[in-house]
Amino acid sequence: MIFHKINSEFYSGSIYGLAGSNGSGKSTLAQIIAGLLSPTSGKVIHKLDNQNLSIEKLHNHLGFVSPYLVLYDEFSAEENLIHFLKIRGMEIDSERIKSLLDDFSLYERRNDILKAYSSGMKQRIKFIFSLIHSPELLIFDEPTSNLDVKGKDKVYEIIEKESKSKLIIIASNEESDLALCKETLFMEEYK
Amino acid sequence: MKKVILRFVKKLFLWKNTNENYLFKYVRTDSNIKRRKVKAFYLFKKDWQSELRTRYAINALAMFILVTISVILFSIGQERVSEHLTGGLLWVVIFFSAMSGLSRAFVSEEDRGTTLTLHLIASPSTIFNGKLIFNVVLVYLMNIAIIVLYSLLFESFILQNIALFFLSALFGSFGIAVSSTIIAAIISKASAKGTLYPVLAFPILLPLILILLELTKFAIDGKSLESALVEIAVLICYDVIMLTASYLLFDFIWKD
């Protein structure tokens, strides 16, 4: 058993943190909230406009960034984003793609395949991937890993901007990441 | 009249962001969300473009086809082989070629670590449909190549009833694609994927291969389509059962 008696409610318009030592289950809890893992007992309820949102439909309302998220290396940044939007069944908004690539300083490298990207650039494209479809729920697991100071500042700026209307959950041990959070859930070893 | 029919169809299938009640909530609330089948097609397109760049499955399939047909040709040499045996060997080549290439639909995602990305961009049914379309296209292309090569290289492979063989290959290839897709999904999370795939596929594909062998024999003997109706019906039933079972199972396989 990883978790015991977790009962929390998260609301949009806020940033929540998940903190705890290595192996405490931050990432696992983040994945359970994102519907990527099923809990052995208990349940996670997602609500949108006061109506329950099924797991099958959650992917169009969820943005997720994590160290173990891998995009398609054989495609360029722009191709990846276009494929993701099309598979989600959404229209291609070239202006939004351009502005997000610009925000994360990747516009000039938009036609390069991801294989040629550095780990910091890959982290930035993951953020664009999580934001491109304007989801209502954003879950960031170790959001600033591999980022330089400029990249971190950009991420914090975007998180603050998005948090006005969206629910953001950050799983991290970085103090600067958790400083953005309104409330933080500390995960301790269960005895 | 045309307008009335169009309005009815629109009302029947579309669900808008209004309070009007339509019969089927077929399309999601946002106007920019397209139908599920279109999403599956885009997933197939992504996979196809990815395949053309990485040559993950195509190269394996092409090499396997060339090697197996060459080995059979060399081992036969100048000997005269019966038509029925040649027909049987054709399905052996098809079965093992399918084993070498069709698991890639899911295994490549798992190997590259992109499974999580797929989870985040599409529902399980879209993923299954997309992967199935990919495998169906790959199987048809693979079988066309095998049958053309086989007809050119094996003199004793003479079909008296081409229509019957065409029907068998059409439904048989679809059955191979469906079975291979769901087996690939099952084994993609296992550690010994290469071994597990043929082990699991053999009992599942055996009834299909047996029926196909029988139908190929009929086609070589020149039996009429009417005399092979039972076998054709069994073939179609196999396809339908595998397709239904796959849709029922896939959600559970994909989620955990």
Side-chain angles (χ1 to χ4, degrees), chain A residues 120-146:
Chain A
M121 288 163 83
K122 281 184 180 170
Q123 183 69 5
R124 280 185 270 158
I125 190 72
K126 284 182 199 176
F127 270 95
I128 302 176
F129 163 71
S130 74
L131 296 167
I132 190 77
H133 55 297
S134 307
E136 290 83 1
L137 168 61
L138 287 160
I139 299 177
F140 299 136
D141 186 4
E142 296 180 30
T144 52
S145 60
N146 296 320

mmCIF file of all heavy atoms in Angstrom, chain A residues 120-146:
data_model
loop_
_atom_site.group_PDB
_atom_site.id
_atom_site.type_symbol
_atom_site.label_atom_id
_atom_site.label_comp_id
_atom_site.label_asym_id
_atom_site.label_seq_id
_atom_site.Cartn_x
_atom_site.Cartn_y
_atom_site.Cartn_z
ATOM 1 N N GLY A 120 16.822 20.036 -21.980
ATOM 2 C CA GLY A 120 16.078 21.239 -21.585
ATOM 3 C C GLY A 120 15.035 21.614 -22.625
ATOM 4 O O GLY A 120 13.913 21.983 -22.295
ATOM 5 N N MET A 121 15.418 21.486 -23.897
ATOM 6 C CA MET A 121 14.460 21.799 -24.977
ATOM 7 C C MET A 121 13.317 20.785 -24.985
ATOM 8 O O MET A 121 12.170 21.135 -25.241
ATOM 9 C CB MET A 121 15.183 21.797 -26.329
ATOM 10 C CG MET A 121 16.108 22.984 -26.513
ATOM 11 S SD MET A 121 17.250 22.687 -27.848
ATOM 12 C CE MET A 121 16.275 23.141 -29.244
ATOM 13 N N LYS A 122 13.660 19.530 -24.705
ATOM 14 C CA LYS A 122 12.612 18.502 -24.651
ATOM 15 C C LYS A 122 11.629 18.798 -23.519
ATOM 16 O O LYS A 122 10.429 18.578 -23.648
ATOM 17 C CB LYS A 122 13.231 17.109 -24.473
ATOM 18 C CG LYS A 122 13.774 16.549 -25.771
ATOM 19 C CD LYS A 122 14.283 15.143 -25.600
ATOM 20 C CE LYS A 122 14.818 14.631 -26.936
ATOM 21 N NZ LYS A 122 15.540 13.373 -26.818
ATOM 22 N N GLN A 123 12.166 19.312 -22.389
ATOM 23 C CA GLN A 123 11.298 19.660 -21.271
ATOM 24 C C GLN A 123 10.362 20.804 -21.665
ATOM 25 O O GLN A 123 9.186 20.806 -21.332
ATOM 26 C CB GLN A 123 12.159 20.062 -20.052
ATOM 27 C CG GLN A 123 11.383 20.377 -18.795
ATOM 28 C CD GLN A 123 10.715 19.154 -18.155
ATOM 29 O OE1 GLN A 123 10.888 18.009 -18.583
ATOM 30 N NE2 GLN A 123 9.931 19.403 -17.125
ATOM 31 N N ARG A 124 10.889 21.764 -22.439
ATOM 32 C CA ARG A 124 10.066 22.900 -22.854
ATOM 33 C C ARG A 124 8.964 22.451 -23.831
ATOM 34 O O ARG A 124 7.836 22.918 -23.731
ATOM 35 C CB ARG A 124 10.947 23.987 -23.483
ATOM 36 C CG ARG A 124 11.650 24.817 -22.413
ATOM 37 C CD ARG A 124 12.416 25.946 -23.024
ATOM 38 N NE ARG A 124 13.781 25.530 -23.329
ATOM 39 C CZ ARG A 124 14.564 26.118 -24.222
ATOM 40 N NH1 ARG A 124 14.113 27.138 -24.921
ATOM 41 N NH2 ARG A 124 15.792 25.695 -24.413
ATOM 42 N N ILE A 125 9.314 21.532 -24.732
ATOM 43 C CA ILE A 125 8.290 21.074 -25.690
ATOM 44 C C ILE A 125 7.201 20.276 -24.955
ATOM 45 O O ILE A 125 6.041 20.294 -25.339
ATOM 46 C CB ILE A 125 8.895 20.289 -26.890
ATOM 47 C CG1 ILE A 125 7.853 20.043 -27.998
ATOM 48 C CG2 ILE A 125 9.500 18.985 -26.505
ATOM 49 C CD1 ILE A 125 7.474 21.237 -28.762
ATOM 50 N N LYS A 126 7.585 19.626 -23.843
ATOM 51 C CA LYS A 126 6.574 18.920 -23.037
ATOM 52 C C LYS A 126 5.555 19.909 -22.480
ATOM 53 O O LYS A 126 4.363 19.615 -22.379
ATOM 54 C CB LYS A 126 7.239 18.171 -21.882
ATOM 55 C CG LYS A 126 7.945 16.897 -22.283
ATOM 56 C CD LYS A 126 8.513 16.227 -21.045
ATOM 57 C CE LYS A 126 9.597 15.238 -21.354
ATOM 58 N NZ LYS A 126 10.199 14.667 -20.141
ATOM 59 N N PHE A 127 6.028 21.094 -22.085
ATOM 60 C CA PHE A 127 5.105 22.115 -21.579
ATOM 61 C C PHE A 127 4.148 22.570 -22.668
ATOM 62 O O PHE A 127 2.958 22.740 -22.430
ATOM 63 C CB PHE A 127 5.878 23.317 -21.010
ATOM 64 C CG PHE A 127 6.177 23.145 -19.569
ATOM 65 C CD1 PHE A 127 7.375 22.626 -19.150
ATOM 66 C CD2 PHE A 127 5.219 23.449 -18.609
ATOM 67 C CE1 PHE A 127 7.645 22.424 -17.814
ATOM 68 C CE2 PHE A 127 5.469 23.250 -17.266
ATOM 69 C CZ PHE A 127 6.692 22.737 -16.863
ATOM 70 N N ILE A 128 4.686 22.754 -23.873
ATOM 71 C CA ILE A 128 3.813 23.167 -24.979
ATOM 72 C C ILE A 128 2.783 22.075 -25.244
ATOM 73 O O ILE A 128 1.606 22.353 -25.452
ATOM 74 C CB ILE A 128 4.651 23.476 -26.248
ATOM 75 C CG1 ILE A 128 5.671 24.577 -25.933
ATOM 76 C CG2 ILE A 128 3.756 23.875 -27.400
ATOM 77 C CD1 ILE A 128 6.623 24.904 -27.057
ATOM 78 N N PHE A 129 3.241 20.811 -25.195
ATOM 79 C CA PHE A 129 2.348 19.664 -25.386
ATOM 80 C C PHE A 129 1.207 19.685 -24.356
ATOM 81 O O PHE A 129 0.060 19.389 -24.674
ATOM 82 C CB PHE A 129 3.169 18.370 -25.270
ATOM 83 C CG PHE A 129 2.370 17.110 -25.048
ATOM 84 C CD1 PHE A 129 1.590 16.574 -26.056
ATOM 85 C CD2 PHE A 129 2.408 16.449 -23.825
ATOM 86 C CE1 PHE A 129 0.862 15.414 -25.853
ATOM 87 C CE2 PHE A 129 1.681 15.300 -23.609
ATOM 88 C CZ PHE A 129 0.903 14.774 -24.630
ATOM 89 N N SER A 130 1.544 20.072 -23.129
ATOM 90 C CA SER A 130 0.521 20.064 -22.073
ATOM 91 C C SER A 130 -0.445 21.250 -22.191
ATOM 92 O O SER A 130 -1.559 21.195 -21.682
ATOM 93 C CB SER A 130 1.180 20.068 -20.697
ATOM 94 O OG SER A 130 1.716 21.334 -20.419
ATOM 95 N N LEU A 131 -0.033 22.305 -22.877
ATOM 96 C CA LEU A 131 -0.864 23.514 -22.923
ATOM 97 C C LEU A 131 -1.602 23.707 -24.245
ATOM 98 O O LEU A 131 -2.569 24.458 -24.300
ATOM 99 C CB LEU A 131 0.016 24.753 -22.689
ATOM 100 C CG LEU A 131 0.698 24.859 -21.337
ATOM 101 C CD1 LEU A 131 1.771 25.941 -21.370
ATOM 102 C CD2 LEU A 131 -0.307 25.164 -20.235
ATOM 103 N N ILE A 132 -1.159 23.032 -25.286
ATOM 104 C CA ILE A 132 -1.627 23.316 -26.650
ATOM 105 C C ILE A 132 -3.153 23.196 -26.816
ATOM 106 O O ILE A 132 -3.768 23.929 -27.575
ATOM 107 C CB ILE A 132 -0.868 22.417 -27.682
ATOM 108 C CG1 ILE A 132 -1.152 22.844 -29.125
ATOM 109 C CG2 ILE A 132 -1.186 20.948 -27.519
ATOM 110 C CD1 ILE A 132 -0.419 24.064 -29.552
ATOM 111 N N HIS A 133 -3.772 22.276 -26.072
ATOM 112 C CA HIS A 133 -5.215 22.054 -26.232
ATOM 113 C C HIS A 133 -6.027 22.783 -25.166
ATOM 114 O O HIS A 133 -7.208 22.490 -24.975
ATOM 115 C CB HIS A 133 -5.521 20.550 -26.225
ATOM 116 C CG HIS A 133 -5.002 19.824 -25.020
ATOM 117 N ND1 HIS A 133 -3.659 19.737 -24.728
ATOM 118 C CD2 HIS A 133 -5.640 19.156 -24.029
ATOM 119 C CE1 HIS A 133 -3.500 19.039 -23.617
ATOM 120 N NE2 HIS A 133 -4.693 18.691 -23.171
ATOM 121 N N SER A 134 -5.402 23.739 -24.487
ATOM 122 C CA SER A 134 -6.052 24.557 -23.446
ATOM 123 C C SER A 134 -6.832 23.718 -22.438
ATOM 124 O O SER A 134 -8.048 23.887 -22.283
ATOM 125 C CB SER A 134 -7.003 25.573 -24.080
ATOM 126 O OG SER A 134 -6.335 26.297 -25.049
ATOM 127 N N PRO A 135 -6.164 22.799 -21.729
ATOM 128 C CA PRO A 135 -6.890 21.948 -20.777
ATOM 129 C C PRO A 135 -7.242 22.687 -19.480
ATOM 130 O O PRO A 135 -6.612 23.692 -19.154
ATOM 131 C CB PRO A 135 -5.878 20.830 -20.487
ATOM 132 C CG PRO A 135 -4.561 21.471 -20.670
ATOM 133 C CD PRO A 135 -4.712 22.520 -21.714
ATOM 134 N N GLU A 136 -8.233 22.163 -18.773
ATOM 135 C CA GLU A 136 -8.664 22.794 -17.524
ATOM 136 C C GLU A 136 -7.838 22.294 -16.340
ATOM 137 O O GLU A 136 -7.789 22.944 -15.299
ATOM 138 C CB GLU A 136 -10.150 22.501 -17.259
ATOM 139 C CG GLU A 136 -11.121 23.184 -18.198
ATOM 140 C CD GLU A 136 -11.311 22.434 -19.514
ATOM 141 O OE1 GLU A 136 -10.697 21.361 -19.689
ATOM 142 O OE2 GLU A 136 -12.069 22.921 -20.361
ATOM 143 N N LEU A 137 -7.265 21.103 -16.473
ATOM 144 C CA LEU A 137 -6.456 20.519 -15.388
ATOM 145 C C LEU A 137 -5.017 20.328 -15.873
ATOM 146 O O LEU A 137 -4.781 19.702 -16.915
ATOM 147 C CB LEU A 137 -7.058 19.161 -14.985
ATOM 148 C CG LEU A 137 -6.229 18.243 -14.075
ATOM 149 C CD1 LEU A 137 -5.939 18.897 -12.728
ATOM 150 C CD2 LEU A 137 -6.949 16.902 -13.851
ATOM 151 N N LEU A 138 -4.082 20.893 -15.113
ATOM 152 C CA LEU A 138 -2.667 20.747 -15.486
ATOM 153 C C LEU A 138 -1.919 20.065 -14.352
ATOM 154 O O LEU A 138 -1.989 20.527 -13.200
ATOM 155 C CB LEU A 138 -2.053 22.120 -15.753
ATOM 156 C CG LEU A 138 -2.493 22.793 -17.066
ATOM 157 C CD1 LEU A 138 -2.247 24.282 -17.018
ATOM 158 C CD2 LEU A 138 -1.770 22.185 -18.247
ATOM 159 N N ILE A 139 -1.241 18.974 -14.652
ATOM 160 C CA ILE A 139 -0.466 18.270 -13.630
ATOM 161 C C ILE A 139 1.006 18.289 -14.055
ATOM 162 O O ILE A 139 1.346 17.803 -15.141
ATOM 163 C CB ILE A 139 -0.979 16.823 -13.439
ATOM 164 C CG1 ILE A 139 -2.449 16.864 -12.977
ATOM 165 C CG2 ILE A 139 -0.122 16.070 -12.425
ATOM 166 C CD1 ILE A 139 -3.108 15.517 -12.827
ATOM 167 N N PHE A 140 1.816 18.884 -13.224
ATOM 168 C CA PHE A 140 3.238 18.985 -13.543
ATOM 169 C C PHE A 140 4.055 18.198 -12.516
ATOM 170 O O PHE A 140 4.092 18.549 -11.342
ATOM 171 C CB PHE A 140 3.692 20.455 -13.516
ATOM 172 C CG PHE A 140 2.977 21.327 -14.512
ATOM 173 C CD1 PHE A 140 2.505 22.585 -14.160
ATOM 174 C CD2 PHE A 140 2.784 20.898 -15.816
ATOM 175 C CE1 PHE A 140 1.854 23.391 -15.080
ATOM 176 C CE2 PHE A 140 2.132 21.694 -16.746
ATOM 177 C CZ PHE A 140 1.659 22.943 -16.378
ATOM 178 N N ASP A 141 4.681 17.133 -12.970
ATOM 179 C CA ASP A 141 5.520 16.327 -12.098
ATOM 180 C C ASP A 141 6.969 16.761 -12.351
ATOM 181 O O ASP A 141 7.464 16.619 -13.473
ATOM 182 C CB ASP A 141 5.311 14.846 -12.459
ATOM 183 C CG ASP A 141 6.025 13.908 -11.509
ATOM 184 O OD1 ASP A 141 6.626 14.397 -10.529
ATOM 185 O OD2 ASP A 141 6.000 12.688 -11.762
ATOM 186 N N GLU A 142 7.604 17.262 -11.338
ATOM 187 C CA GLU A 142 8.956 17.834 -11.453
ATOM 188 C C GLU A 142 9.066 18.741 -12.684
ATOM 189 O O GLU A 142 9.810 18.457 -13.631
ATOM 190 C CB GLU A 142 10.005 16.710 -11.527
ATOM 191 C CG GLU A 142 10.037 15.898 -10.237
ATOM 192 C CD GLU A 142 11.076 14.780 -10.288
ATOM 193 O OE1 GLU A 142 12.084 14.948 -10.978
ATOM 194 O OE2 GLU A 142 10.842 13.763 -9.625
ATOM 195 N N PRO A 143 8.326 19.844 -12.662
ATOM 196 C CA PRO A 143 8.208 20.656 -13.880
ATOM 197 C C PRO A 143 9.485 21.356 -14.322
ATOM 198 O O PRO A 143 9.651 21.632 -15.502
ATOM 199 C CB PRO A 143 7.137 21.697 -13.502
ATOM 200 C CG PRO A 143 7.143 21.759 -12.026
ATOM 201 C CD PRO A 143 7.523 20.399 -11.553
ATOM 202 N N THR A 144 10.371 21.617 -13.392
ATOM 203 C CA THR A 144 11.544 22.415 -13.796
ATOM 204 C C THR A 144 12.820 21.581 -13.965
ATOM 205 O O THR A 144 13.899 22.157 -14.102
ATOM 206 C CB THR A 144 11.779 23.547 -12.771
ATOM 207 O OG1 THR A 144 11.825 22.969 -11.464
ATOM 208 C CG2 THR A 144 10.698 24.588 -12.836
ATOM 209 N N SER A 145 12.664 20.258 -13.975
ATOM 210 C CA SER A 145 13.880 19.442 -14.144
ATOM 211 C C SER A 145 14.451 19.686 -15.547
ATOM 212 O O SER A 145 13.719 19.835 -16.522
ATOM 213 C CB SER A 145 13.583 17.959 -13.943
ATOM 214 O OG SER A 145 12.641 17.522 -14.870
ATOM 215 N N ASN A 146 15.760 19.731 -15.630
ATOM 216 C CA ASN A 146 16.500 19.967 -16.889
ATOM 217 C C ASN A 146 16.393 21.391 -17.436
ATOM 218 O O ASN A 146 16.871 21.667 -18.528
ATOM 219 C CB ASN A 146 16.059 19.005 -18.008
ATOM 220 C CG ASN A 146 16.368 17.569 -17.679
ATOM 221 O OD1 ASN A 146 17.421 17.282 -17.128
ATOM 222 N ND2 ASN A 146 15.449 16.692 -17.964
#
